[in-house]
Amino acid sequence: MPSRARSNGSSHSARRRAADSVDVPVRSFWSGTIAFGLVSIPVDLLAATRPRQTSMKLVDADGHALGRRFRCAKDGKELDQDDLVRGFETSSGELVPISDEEIEAASPEASRDIELHRFVPFEQIPRAFYVRSYFLAPAGRSAKAYVLLAKTMERTQRVAIGSFVMRGEAHLVAVLSDNGVLRATTLRYADELRSPKDIGLTKPKKKAAAAQVRRFTQAIEGLMRKTLDIAELEDRQAESLRSLAERKREHGKDVIALRGLVDAEEPEGSAEIIDLTDALRKSLSRKTRVATQDASAPREQAASVRKIGHARAKRSAATRDLARTSKSELLKLAAELDIAGRSKMDKQALVSAIRKAG
Amino acid sequence: MKRALWKGRLVVAEHAVPVKLYAAVEDRKVRFRLLHAKDHAPVEQRIVRKSTGEDVAREARRKAYPIDRHTAVILQPDELAGLEPPAARELDVCRFVDAALLNDQWYDRPYYLGPDGDAARYLALAEALGKQHMVGIARWVMRKKRYLGALYLDGAHLMISTLRRAEQVVSFSQVEIPKAQAPRPSELELAKQLIESISGDFEPQRWHDEHRERLEALIAAKLSGRKVVAFKPKARAPQSGLTQALQASLARAREQDVA
């Protein structure tokens, strides 16, 4: 598609929206430790991707909120969560009930470690393995081990293949350093990817005609650019939904309150068929809430790594007896709070500057 | 042999390559159906008006687009139909960029592209693309939905991965690392040795989804009436100082290397 001429209005609105979504706090929903040999590196996990802005809510023609209810196919009774059990459907169509306890017994032990198994050259990982990416932010008192791992991976041009458990699911990940920031990208398992042979694609027997290759090479060169044009990568579906909705709002048509509305898209497939992740999330949430109270403490304010450090410093500043804190600790806090001129301050000045900032 | 999901023409400037598109991902998720605990009958889902609990027929349902944190706008069926992209059989490659410009954050779901009929142009495009460290940025419409993807060569075959949209990718420039004490040269050297001692090739078949395998075993055991044994994970070694931990790790890695 040749780059489409875009009206100023739509591109402006897209950019504004992109800027808006930056402000949406990226929540840290997993805290744990990278196990690099016997070195432990505490980290917070932050989503490096955002959901698309195309999801809609379910209502009736008058804008009333709709919801989903379950009913027994046999006796027609309306059912609560407590009346439900998971069943596995065999190839012959038999339904075998599986209890929550049985599922929990098979689920991975809630672990707080990202174990690094092996370091590999980054370019060896085919793109088809990538699933979803997360930033790893240093969470400990000192970021030294974090910096050490990031620096060394960059120097050796390697990434680590590791594994960890998140929301009751075991993930394979590539941990890589991107300009000093560690990122964990979940990977597909090998048996989740088909080979060309599985598809029925065979290795070509003949060679391409040189003249034709030249024509394609020229075509590729003609379309080459040194940088990404973000306009070519924007969400046109989200854009058209939003501009339609905005037009209607200006005319005061079909405008309703968002409160209480549920998603129109079903989580995945049909609601009668749930995947394991949801099942485990439900059964594990009770267990992990106790075990990880500290890790799941409110971190909503964490829009970026810097902000996390900042927030932690603020909390620390608020709860600590600053007058009894050593000068070097105060300097650390001041650094995390970005207090200007801190290196020239005496202890008294540091305490008051931290109190003001915190 | 798998069936193609879509057939069309891959368009690069004035050239068109007839292609078939195949899913590269094999879904292996273990899925359950919801059953009524009392009689083990499958459940049915119904859509009701929340305030009254009354069933709402499909024709009476609408979708609303959330426009800000408090407001949504109902989009009528004819309005939504008006937004549907026109059906097309072209996969348009509008741009080629250095592969490094699109990192792992962008990649979503991979598909194979195979030749449809005569493979001459497919082979020529594959060879031309193989000479450059480039990916093509493509847009197409499939099943009434718009797609954005990256075209690249994988071995002898063309692949296209759907890409996340620009709005979805969080920039690392928004992430700052708090200033840390710089690691000492001796620590850098130890860390380098440790990385090198546990380095190797990417061999994805080494790692299995043990969780899924245990679940499959659980189901198999249940089907044959055997008892299920719970899984016990191993414990971890305690943490010491950075240099000592690096040295101990290195010693352990070397031992394992010899063994």
Side-chain angles (χ1 to χ4, degrees):
Chain A
M1 194 185 295
S3 67
R4 223 170 44 173
R6 298 157 50 85
S7 77
N8 271 337
S10 84
S11 120
H12 174 73
S13 105
R15 217 160 293 142
R16 194 183 59 213
R17 190 164 69 269
D20 280 350
S21 40
V22 170
D23 294 333
V24 175
V26 180
R27 266 183 77 179
S28 162
F29 46 83
W30 192 96
S31 297
T33 312
I34 299 175
F36 170 40
L38 298 171
V39 180
S40 297
I41 306 168
V43 287
D44 287 328
L45 206 70
L46 303 159
T49 59
R50 300 183 194 96
R52 277 185 81 180
Q53 295 181 4
T54 51
S55 79
M56 305 227 257
K57 303 291 177 184
L58 197 58
V59 294
D60 70 7
D62 301 319
H64 295 119
L66 305 185
R68 298 186 168 83
R69 299 283 180 271
F70 296 118
R71 181 162 55 190
C72 177
K74 209 152 126 197
D75 60 18
K77 221 186 105 188
E78 185 150 325
L79 304 172
D80 282 342
Q81 283 291 336
D82 292 344
D83 299 323
L84 302 175
V85 67
R86 283 171 282 276
F88 180 78
E89 191 170 5
T90 65
S91 48
S92 57
E94 196 191 345
L95 286 167
V96 185
I98 313 245
S99 72
D100 286 4
E101 291 73 29
E102 286 170 319
I103 285 177
E104 273 184 43
S107 68
E109 192 69 15
S111 157
R112 294 272 129 200
D113 281 340
I114 300 179
E115 269 320 320
L116 305 186
H117 305 308
R118 176 183 265 208
F119 289 85
V120 306
F122 181 58
E123 67 278 5
Q124 282 188 6
I125 305 175
R127 297 175 182 90
F129 277 87
Y130 303 147
V131 181
R132 193 176 292 277
S133 187
Y134 302 89
F135 290 116
L136 296 171
R141 264 172 303 144
S142 155
K144 192 172 165 188
Y146 180 101
V147 171
L148 180 67
L149 177 63
K151 259 202 176 135
T152 315
M153 285 207 287
E154 268 169 37
R155 279 188 181 181
T156 54
Q157 303 218 322
R158 286 201 169 82
V159 301
I161 302 298
S163 56
F164 79 117
V165 177
M166 175 172 64
R167 294 171 176 160
E169 211 175 2
H171 292 277
L172 186 68
V173 283
V175 175
L176 55 100
S177 174
D178 186 353
N179 287 280
V181 177
L182 293 180
R183 197 161 63 222
T185 297
T186 56
L187 302 176
R188 295 190 168 87
Y189 288 97
D191 65 354
E192 290 177 292
L193 282 175
R194 294 171 177 160
S195 69
K197 220 177 115 198
D198 295 335
I199 306 280
L201 295 173
T202 50
K203 268 228 166 76
K205 282 174 213 78
K206 51 179 190 175
K207 256 189 83 69
Q212 214 153 29
V213 176
R214 253 196 321 277
R215 278 200 292 277
F216 273 109
T217 304
Q218 277 165 8
I220 291 172
E221 281 166 358
L223 293 171
M224 244 182 230
R225 290 291 179 280
K226 286 251 187 303
T227 53
L228 286 182
D229 179 357
I230 292 303
E232 288 173 354
L233 299 162
E234 279 170 355
D235 196 337
R236 291 179 190 166
Q237 182 66 25
E239 222 169 87
S240 65
L241 281 171
R242 170 161 288 264
S243 63
L244 169 62
E246 259 168 12
R247 269 201 314 277
K248 291 189 74 171
R249 175 159 69 174
E250 275 164 31
H251 292 101
K253 232 183 124 198
D254 287 342
V255 180
I256 55 173
L258 181 59
R259 221 182 138 158
L261 303 185
V262 302
D263 284 345
E265 291 85 13
E266 293 185 353
E268 219 186 272
S270 134
E272 285 114 54
I273 299 173
I274 51 169
D275 75 49
L276 177 69
T277 328
D278 296 324
L280 285 166
R281 209 166 286 152
K282 198 181 129 225
S283 58
L284 283 173
S285 59
R286 277 169 288 147
K287 208 161 66 179
T288 43
R289 205 172 299 142
V290 183
T292 64
Q293 220 149 35
D294 176 48
S296 58
R299 291 240 172 89
E300 274 89 333
Q301 68 272 67
S304 71
V305 176
R306 180 181 49 75
K307 282 192 188 154
I308 286 184
H310 205 81
R312 185 171 292 117
K314 274 194 167 184
R315 266 208 304 279
S316 182
T319 54
R320 254 169 157 178
D321 183 355
L322 293 173
R324 285 192 187 175
T325 307
S326 74
K327 190 175 173 191
S328 65
E329 281 295 310
L330 289 172
L331 271 170
K332 261 190 217 163
L333 271 174
E336 284 186 20
L337 290 167
D338 270 331
I339 293 171
R342 57 186 177 265
S343 58
K344 292 194 190 83
M345 291 182 187
D346 63 18
K347 199 173 161 183
Q348 200 58 50
L350 275 170
V351 168
S352 64
I354 290 169
R355 280 209 181 112
K356 224 185 264 165
Chain B
M1 273 301 247
K2 300 284 173 191
R3 266 185 50 199
L5 294 174
W6 188 82
K7 274 167 69 160
R9 296 168 348 124
L10 181 67
V11 178
V12 182
E14 69 276 20
H15 308 285
V17 183
V19 290
K20 287 181 176 177
L21 184 135
Y22 306 86
V25 175
E26 178 87 50
D27 185 7
R28 293 196 185 270
K29 260 192 179 155
V30 179
R31 280 170 212 285
F32 295 107
R33 295 198 57 168
L34 287 175
L35 308 179
H36 183 190
K38 212 175 78 191
D39 55 13
H40 293 162
V43 301
E44 287 168 350
Q45 184 193 234
R46 27 182 223 132
I47 303 288
V48 300
R49 187 165 146 189
K50 272 185 166 178
S51 55
T52 62
E54 273 167 56
D55 282 23
V56 177
R58 193 172 290 275
E59 312 81 66
R61 298 178 204 156
R62 297 287 181 274
K63 286 175 175 178
Y65 186 77
I67 201 153
D68 60 40
R69 288 169 64 186
H70 308 288
T71 321
V73 178
I74 305 171
L75 302 183
Q76 302 297 341
D78 59 320
E79 292 170 324
L80 285 172
L83 295 187
E84 262 173 28
R89 287 271 154 211
E90 278 81 42
L91 207 154
D92 282 301
V93 187
C94 61
R95 191 64 63 220
F96 283 89
V97 293
D98 192 295
L101 290 178
L102 291 172
N103 70 16
D104 48 279
Q105 287 173 273
W106 290 86
Y107 287 85
D108 197 356
R109 211 174 170 76
Y111 297 87
Y112 283 104
L113 290 176
D116 184 17
D118 177 31
R121 275 176 286 171
Y122 180 95
L123 291 173
L125 173 60
E127 196 177 320
L129 199 52
K131 286 179 180 166
Q132 324 243 15
H133 190 63
M134 292 274 153
V135 295
I137 291 170
R139 282 186 181 269
W140 72 102
V141 173
M142 191 161 75
R143 292 178 185 157
K144 297 186 177 176
K145 279 193 181 145
R146 288 174 226 265
Y147 286 85
L148 172 70
L151 171 80
Y152 56 90
L153 190 69
D154 186 86
H157 299 281
L158 293 173
M159 289 192 89
I160 196 154
S161 263
T162 57
L163 293 175
R164 296 202 166 80
R165 310 311 198 270
E167 297 88 337
Q168 294 183 266
V169 176
V170 181
S171 157
F172 77 82
S173 65
Q174 292 167 31
V175 179
E176 279 173 45
I177 299 298
K179 283 215 175 62
Q181 221 184 330
R184 288 196 295 266
S186 62
E187 286 165 342
L188 280 168
E189 182 54 32
L190 277 171
K192 182 170 160 262
Q193 284 178 33
L194 180 56
I195 283 185
E196 279 165 358
S197 72
I198 38 179
S199 279
D201 287 330
F202 179 60
E203 294 165 339
Q205 60 290 347
R206 279 175 77 102
W207 293 289
H208 299 264
D209 191 343
E210 289 172 16
H211 175 209
R212 190 180 71 218
E213 285 169 359
R214 282 204 299 278
L215 201 77
E216 284 164 353
L218 161 83
I219 290 164
K222 263 214 99 134
L223 286 175
S224 66
R226 271 179 285 135
K227 200 173 147 29
V228 182
V229 182
F231 166 83
K232 288 266 187 316
K234 53 180 192 292
R236 280 192 51 73
Q239 161 99 65
S240 49
L242 186 55
T243 305
Q244 292 93 310
L246 283 168
Q247 277 163 343
S249 312
L250 194 54
R252 202 174 65 166
R254 282 185 180 139
E255 257 169 51
Q256 280 167 356
D257 215 28
V258 176

